Amino acid sequence: QPQPEGTDVADRLSPPAESLLLSGSRLVLLIHGYNNTHEEAENSYFEFCAATGFNRGCPAGEVCFFYWPGNHPWGVVSAASYPIEIMPAKNSAARLHAYLKQLALNRPGGWPLEITLVCHSLGNRVALELLRFFAADPPNPNLRIVACCLMAAAVPVFMVEPNGRLC
């Protein structure tokens, strides 16, 4: 659920849509990068879907757009605000983690929920923090992250090297 520009991470995500619970067992989750307004992120999502053939009901799974507050009205100092956006990325990952765990509960037919993450820029930090949360959980047979596509990852290399914080 998008928040107004310049606001914090939503206190909660909307409950899972009934269609997501019943439509299948795969989700392709798109996570936008840093310094994108809601409108820019949405346009990028639609352009990505048009270019890749991913759309609602595609064989790879239901395509879902994740909006997080990676944009504040910083104006000309926007590039300098980049480090400030780390905490919203972490908070967004925590909320997304809780949401996906809830979505995976009581799957119809016992099918696990399989998730593919496709991320750009600082959206990769959201994804890697999300994976860190899942790694800390007990194994969940109802939920699997099956693939990650990390494009132009805005994450320091040392954090994803062996024994790194996000590894």
Side-chain angles (χ1 to χ4, degrees):
Q1 186 101 12
Q3 292 285 93
E5 300 303 330
T7 61
D8 293 328
V9 176
D11 289 335
R12 63 178 174 74
L13 293 169
S14 298
E18 192 65 27
S19 63
L20 286 181
L21 293 173
L22 300 175
S23 65
S25 61
R26 295 182 183 152
L27 295 180
V28 176
L29 185 59
L30 306 181
I31 305 176
H32 67 82
Y34 167 73
N35 204 21
N36 283 195
T37 65
H38 173 79
E39 182 179 358
E40 290 167 339
E42 188 166 75
N43 288 339
S44 294
Y45 289 154
F46 284 118
E47 287 176 22
F48 177 83
C49 288
T52 61
F54 281 18
N55 53 30
R56 303 279 179 205
C58 78
E62 183 76 18
V63 178
C64 298
F65 303 164
F66 183 71
Y67 299 95
W68 65 281
N71 179 56
H72 281 268
W74 298 108
V76 295
V77 296
S78 179
S81 72
Y82 192 89
I84 298 168
E85 302 300 337
I86 300 298
M87 193 51 68
K90 289 180 178 182
N91 292 340
S92 295
R95 299 259 162 55
L96 182 57
H97 173 252
Y99 179 83
L100 293 173
K101 283 177 56 173
Q102 183 65 36
L103 190 62
L105 289 176
N106 304 316
R107 298 280 305 148
W111 291 99
L113 180 61
E114 296 181 342
I115 299 170
T116 297
L117 301 171
V118 179
C119 317
H120 180 255
S121 185
L122 198 58
N124 289 287
R125 182 64 181 260
V126 174
L128 290 169
E129 293 287 348
L130 174 67
L131 293 174
R132 188 175 62 82
F133 283 117
F134 278 121
D137 282 347
N140 183 344
N142 289 333
L143 183 62
R144 297 182 192 142
I145 306 293
V146 295
C148 296
C149 177
L150 308 177
M151 298 181 289
V155 178
V157 173
F158 72 87
M159 293 183 96
V160 293
E161 289 178 334
N163 300 316
R165 183 182 174 289
L166 295 173
C167 214

